[in-house]
Amino acid sequence: MFDDEFFLYSEEVDLQFRLRQAGWDVHYFPSATVVHHESQFSADIPERRINEMWRSRHRYWRKHHSGAGARVAALATGGQYALRAAAAPIARRNPRRMLLHARDSWGVSGPGLRELADEWNGRVGASTRR
């Protein structure tokens, strides 16, 4: 039931939203514990990870909201990253990641994890066909 257009990120939010729209109930289990080791497989490639994350965000917002609503959500979210980038020197942090998020809030132009996976699958597939 996942939307195949989401390569990674936001696919579970999209599914949850659609299930709720279809009348399914949402249940909360406070005794359950889930540990999510965020971005562990892509930690060494932050720009591609950030690009893919924003691609998915933009897709989700366009899919479930008006064009204006999607743009407002993107700019509001991107704005908070721009503020964090501006404050980074005060906190003695590198603003680069925050600036990448702010840039992608306008639109994603660079490659993401999907392209990296396609490249890898192409190499692996080519080597197994020999």
Side-chain angles (χ1 to χ4, degrees), residues 49-119:
R49 181 182 56 78
I50 290 168
N51 288 349
E52 201 66 51
M53 184 181 302
W54 275 95
R55 243 190 232 147
S56 291
R57 284 177 175 169
H58 287 297
R59 172 161 181 68
Y60 176 83
W61 289 326
R62 283 191 313 267
K63 183 175 178 179
H64 296 295
H65 304 287
S66 68
R71 179 51 61 192
V72 166
L75 295 179
T77 305
Q80 63 132 348
Y81 283 107
L83 289 173
R84 289 171 70 187
I90 296 166
R92 294 188 175 131
R93 297 201 172 170
N94 186 334
R96 185 172 184 279
R97 279 189 36 228
M98 298 304 119
L99 290 171
L100 289 172
H101 281 285
R103 177 201 68 191
D104 281 0
S105 69
W106 288 98
V108 180
S109 60
L113 297 174
R114 181 185 298 252
E115 291 83 2
L116 188 62
D118 289 344
E119 292 167 18

Side-chain angles (χ1 to χ4, degrees), residues 22-65:
W24 289 57
D25 290 332
V26 176
H27 297 272
Y28 171 65
F29 296 96
S31 62
T33 300
V34 176
V35 177
H36 180 222
H37 299 282
E38 182 180 353
S39 307
Q40 295 304 303
F41 83 98
S42 62
D44 294 335
I45 44 176
E47 186 166 358
R48 284 188 180 232
R49 181 182 56 78
I50 290 168
N51 288 349
E52 201 66 51
M53 184 181 302
W54 275 95
R55 243 190 232 147
S56 291
R57 284 177 175 169
H58 287 297
R59 172 161 181 68
Y60 176 83
W61 289 326
R62 283 191 313 267
K63 183 175 178 179
H64 296 295
H65 304 287

